[in-house]
Amino acid sequence: MLGYIARRILVMIPTLFVISIISFAIIQLPPGDYLTTVVAQMEAEGGEIDSAQLAALRERYGLGQSFISQYYTWITNIVFGLDFGHSFDWNRPVSALIGNRLALTVGLSVATILFIWIVAFPIGVYSALRQHSVGDYAFTMIGFIGLAVPNFMIALVLMWVGLRYFGQSPGGIVSPEYADSAWNLGKILDVLGHLWVPIVVWGTAGTAGLIRILRNNLLDELRKPYVVAARARGLPEKRLTVKYPLRVALNPFFSTIGWILASLIGADAIVSRVLNLDTTGPLLLRALMAQDMYLAGSLILISAVLVVIGTLVSDLLLGWLDPRVRLRYGR
């Protein structure tokens, strides 16, 4: 396993390098740059900017340099000094902008994955063991609704439920009366009372999908010859189900961490705007609209790092769960 981890880390380095180049290039594909956006906004508001001031700003932000020079400066500062550059739009260091937002995004993503596992596991097992029952049909219908309804619509409904029946202020992670207060038990409980909405909203589609995957995988395993033979020998049904079929059917729970994390980060922008959450999604959306290349590139690179790490963790957990995968790692 140690050799496998070392090989994966070595592969991660060029992978992230290629992702950084592609993301930095894609950000610069639209015509113009950040100053073009600024000039367009000023002209729309009836203002104007002279050419000398525009040239000075272009020199200040390094926008007159070639793509290679801009990328080299950006990536070397990240690698050797963890300096993600300066945001043109916010006029602040990128690190200062993304710190708290990244922590909230990662925290909500991890909590959402745990929520997906906790809900999907018992429902998926029940639906497989009680196939074609009333409960199976009910959970299937709820799962299809969860996959079909947009997350922002669920967010609006849950915000109304929280306000109507629990008296919670809609949006945000803390009520206005606790916004500027020091951390205490009341504020912690208030934050926890607000966090259930984004966790449920983000986890709905993932939970519905994972229920279907676990149900179908377990049904396939229960029909295999080794299960039929074990049942014919009189092995208790509970032990028969838990020892082998369920263990094999659980593989998607761990193998999908990477793409679930990616989908959560990707779906963050719209839901966070609706729920008024200070996560990385709205920040990335604003950076892309303003062509704030250092901020947008840093957020995309950090998201890629999280996905790559999530994929590595899922592979390690899968190796711990499935002996067949461990044998493959050792080769």
Side-chain angles (χ1 to χ4, degrees), residues 137-156:
Y137 287 128
F139 288 129
T140 299
M141 182 185 67
I142 295 173
F144 285 146
I145 293 175
L147 288 171
V149 178
N151 283 347
F152 71 87
M153 182 70 69
I154 300 176
L156 291 173

Side-chain angles (χ1 to χ4, degrees), residues 318-329:
L318 192 59
W320 167 77
L321 178 71
D322 194 336
R324 298 170 299 178
V325 179
R326 287 201 298 272
L327 290 174
R328 194 182 314 137
Y329 287 169

Side-chain angles (χ1 to χ4, degrees), residues 158-173:
L158 291 183
M159 287 173 64
W160 177 82
V161 170
L163 178 63
R164 177 70 174 80
Y165 295 101
F166 300 102
Q168 292 180 345
S169 58
I173 62 170

